[in-house]
Amino acid sequence: MGGSGETADGLGRRAFLGLAAGAVLGAAGCAPCPGSAGSPRPGTGILPAATAAAAFVAEGAVAGPGTTGPHTIGTLLSAPHFFVAHRGSGDNWPEHTMRAYRQSADAGLKAIEVSVSATADGVLVCHHDLTTARLTGAGLTIAASSAASLARLRNDARPWLGPATPLEPIPLLTEVLDAFAASHVIFLEDKQGTNAERILALLENYPDARQHIVWKQPASSAGHAQASADGYTTWGYVTRADYPRLAALAPLVDLLGIHHTAPEDRILELVDSGKPVIAWEVRRRSEHLRLRELGVRGFICSNIRHVLHQESPRAEDLFAEGLRGAGDLPWKADGGWDEQPAFTGGALRLSNREHAGYLLGSMAGAVDAADWELAFELRWPDGPPPAGASGGAGLAFGQPTDASYRRDPGPAAPGYELDVGADGRITLSRRDPGAATAVELAAGNSPAPAPGEWLAFVVSVAPRSLTVHRLEGGTPRWSLSTDDARYGGGWFSLLKNYDAGPPVEFRRVHLRAAAGSERCANVG
């Protein structure tokens, strides 16, 4: 920072307050905190988990604890809104496994979604892809492989859910039907599109199948007519290629499906058909609320523990445990498993090919206090990004929802961004709704990090101010402050603010109530 009033470290006194080692924040007699006048910061807006979870049960969207059913298509559709476990809720448990289906049922889901393919010897197995490469690492084509060869494989969701995730076998359709065909609704899809007769014949072994099985395929699939003729409820989903002919497709099925990213006018066109519309694959609370406001009734959800508020927020990250927390999501969660950062040595590593964000939704709302702090550490294990990079790394905080977030030019969700540059410069900015650029609130220099050096930070959020501390030996050494109190949302994301370049790692992310009331550092 240039100009007068800089310390020996290049820290401007007005916004970047040099703190002597051992200084005690909040000591009696400190100078008035910057910007203590004005309206206080709004609250996080996050309901207590138990309150929100109970609301879903009260409206019938999910079953209450201990409720065993039976849940039928009729009872599912009788509720104003309902949830289906997408692949058994693959953001919480290994997708399309008996463990995922059972956990979803235990969580109160009345319906699960199951994909089916036939092996070379005619055995029906539950697997989303037509090959086993993504989930098992073995590149077998299901249609060309025996059931015995698939039985030796294990679904491996560790790249998506974390290294502590257990391996699970590929289930047979008969296993799933035996467990759930009489107690839950099953949205069942013939992935190969050639097994309708075989599947329908198998279902005849389950007396109440027509009350529990929804035939699922693309809306244009000929299989719907066959399933409907056999007395089954049909759900047809549409893709982008179908948008010009939605009016022609809607009469072909009983229930309609559309992806959550579809344009609003296309969703509304299906809603206006009068048939129940079910959207997939819902991962975020903000996605659920948007769809619900548009008139969507059903939500095929891959992150039920988060969307349904079934876990209380955590005050610390789960990186050292090797598990992705419910609500923790990469910026492009729909982009495939390659988007998930790696867990390494108790840290989370962002090595995306482009700049990215990582939502720590499992921690949002963990602290209910007017004054709270967010602590974290970051480092560049292989050295910092090159000079001239578009940014460094840091976090976005104060966002009002769990919507996907990364540092981009153009309009963004309101809140704040903290960027730590490779040269040690720290910048605190504010993003306003609809604004093309961020408003810089405070910035200043601190020592450039050495390759592999962990940098520790604490963001202190008070009703009328924000303060960012970089620590040295556990003590605030460099700090910047602003009296901005515009946003108070409880959501935050870790940020990698440059394309390509070296990976950045985060660890020891921690939320806590501040030790005292609104505090500031003495100005030396």
Side-chain angles (χ1 to χ4, degrees), residues 148-218:
S149 65
L150 297 185
R152 291 190 288 268
L153 303 180
R154 291 295 180 267
N155 285 323
D156 183 0
R158 290 178 297 183
W160 185 239
L161 299 178
T165 304
L167 307 184
E168 301 287 343
I170 299 172
L172 304 179
L173 178 57
T174 51
E175 293 180 90
V176 177
L177 294 175
D178 289 347
F180 301 107
S183 61
H184 288 74
V185 177
I186 301 175
F187 282 66
L188 195 155
E189 180 171 14
D190 173 14
K191 273 295 182 181
Q192 293 164 326
T194 57
N195 302 304
E197 291 185 6
R198 181 179 290 142
I199 294 172
L200 292 171
L202 175 62
L203 293 178
E204 290 302 314
N205 297 321
Y206 299 87
D208 298 324
R210 288 168 181 80
Q211 298 179 44
H212 294 273
I213 304 298
V214 175
W215 189 265
K216 173 200 168 193
Q217 279 188 303

Side-chain angles (χ1 to χ4, degrees), residues 177-520:
L177 294 175
D178 289 347
F180 301 107
S183 61
H184 288 74
V185 177
I186 301 175
F187 282 66
L188 195 155
E189 180 171 14
D190 173 14
K191 273 295 182 181
Q192 293 164 326
T194 57
N195 302 304
E197 291 185 6
R198 181 179 290 142
I199 294 172
L200 292 171
L202 175 62
L203 293 178
E204 290 302 314
N205 297 321
Y206 299 87
D208 298 324
R210 288 168 181 80
Q211 298 179 44
H212 294 273
I213 304 298
V214 175
W215 189 265
K216 173 200 168 193
Q217 279 188 303
S220 58
S221 172
H224 287 302
Q226 187 173 357
S228 181
D230 270 16
Y232 288 94
T233 301
T234 56
W235 179 60
Y237 58 88
V238 299
T239 61
R240 187 183 303 273
D242 298 317
Y243 291 169
R245 54 188 185 127
L246 295 183
L249 293 173
L252 303 180
V253 292
D254 302 308
L255 312 172
L256 295 166
I258 194 165
H259 196 262
H260 74 91
T261 59
E264 288 190 5
D265 59 338
R266 300 302 186 181
I267 296 174
L268 291 172
E269 184 176 353
L270 290 188
V271 170
D272 288 344
S273 73
K275 294 186 175 182
V277 176
I278 306 170
W280 89 94
E281 54 191 291
V282 177
R283 287 189 161 98
R284 303 175 189 266
R285 296 174 189 173
S286 53
E287 294 167 354
H288 162 246
L289 291 175
R290 168 183 175 264
L291 294 164
R292 185 172 174 133
E293 290 172 355
L294 292 173
V296 172
R297 288 189 54 203
F299 311 94
I300 296 190
C301 182
S302 61
N303 199 0
I304 61 175
R305 299 291 291 170
H306 171 63
V307 175
L308 295 172
H309 299 253
Q310 292 187 343
E311 291 189 10
S312 296
R314 299 174 57 94
E316 299 179 357
D317 67 64
L318 282 167
F319 304 158
E321 298 180 31
L323 287 171
R324 198 178 84 189
D328 295 355
L329 289 168
W331 175 70
K332 288 199 298 188
D334 292 337
W337 286 10
D338 289 345
E339 297 297 329
Q340 171 62 32
F343 296 89
T344 174
L348 185 81
R349 174 177 292 189
L350 274 66
S351 55
N352 307 64
R353 293 182 295 273
E354 54 187 341
H355 57 296
Y358 188 77
L359 175 75
L360 285 180
S362 64
M363 299 178 65
V367 175
D368 182 16
D371 294 75
W372 55 275
E373 296 176 338
L374 171 57
F376 69 98
E377 296 182 9
L378 69 80
R379 73 167 182 172
W380 288 278
D382 302 330
S390 57
L395 59 85
F397 63 99
Q399 281 72 44
T401 75
D402 66 348
S404 181
Y405 192 98
R406 71 173 182 176
R407 186 186 186 192
D408 270 325
Y416 303 98
E417 292 176 356
L418 172 63
D419 181 74
V420 181
D423 58 358
R425 187 167 180 82
I426 305 172
T427 305
L428 179 63
S429 304
R430 188 187 72 226
R431 299 300 298 259
D432 296 323
T437 58
V439 177
E440 183 177 299
L441 299 175
N445 300 323
S446 70
E453 177 188 2
W454 284 104
L455 309 181
F457 295 88
V458 175
V459 178
S460 296
V461 180
R464 292 179 173 84
S465 65
L466 294 173
T467 304
V468 177
H469 307 289
R470 178 177 167 184
L471 310 183
E472 184 177 69
T475 301
R477 179 68 178 87
W478 303 272
S479 299
L480 58 85
S481 292
T482 175
D483 61 359
D484 193 282
R486 188 167 301 187
Y487 303 119
W491 301 95
F492 66 96
S493 300
L494 308 177
L495 299 179
K496 172 182 176 285
N497 294 328
Y498 50 90
D499 293 329
V504 60
E505 294 180 352
F506 295 84
R507 71 177 185 182
R508 297 178 180 172
V509 184
H510 186 89
L511 284 170
R512 60 191 177 227
S517 58
E518 186 167 319
R519 306 172 301 172
C520 67

